[in-house]
Amino acid sequence: MLKPTDIETIRGKDSRYAVVVGVAKRARDIADAAEAGGEILIEKPVSLAIGDFKNGDVKLIVPQEEEEDTEQE
């Protein structure tokens, strides 16, 4: 489980939801790569993913929503 301090450390200006989703996706990538390579992980994939974000090895990219043009003619 993510500790609240880990989320705040990674979060920056992004939402907590974005951080949790980003960590989960990175953890899935780590687990899939380990399984494909036949590697046994000693540490949990979520802990490894959090470490990747904290160390700056992986960055969270949140797509920006385009503003809709609400002007009517």
Side-chain angles (χ1 to χ4, degrees), residues 6-22:
D6 291 336
I7 293 172
E8 294 304 319
T9 302
I10 298 169
R11 183 175 164 203
K13 62 179 179 153
D14 299 314
S15 71
R16 288 181 182 174
Y17 178 78
V19 172
V20 170
V21 170

Side-chain angles (χ1 to χ4, degrees), residues 8-71:
E8 294 304 319
T9 302
I10 298 169
R11 183 175 164 203
K13 62 179 179 153
D14 299 314
S15 71
R16 288 181 182 174
Y17 178 78
V19 172
V20 170
V21 170
V23 169
K25 286 183 177 184
R26 178 64 183 143
R28 174 56 64 193
D29 289 344
I30 291 170
D32 289 346
E35 186 177 340
E39 183 181 347
I40 297 174
L41 296 175
I42 304 300
E43 200 170 347
K44 294 181 180 180
V46 172
S47 298
L48 295 171
I50 290 170
D52 286 349
F53 279 102
K54 280 184 172 180
N55 296 334
D57 297 334
V58 178
K59 295 190 182 208
L60 184 64
I61 299 175
V62 179
Q64 299 296 322
E65 294 182 28
E66 293 183 28
E67 293 182 23
E68 294 181 24
D69 191 9
T70 58
E71 293 181 28

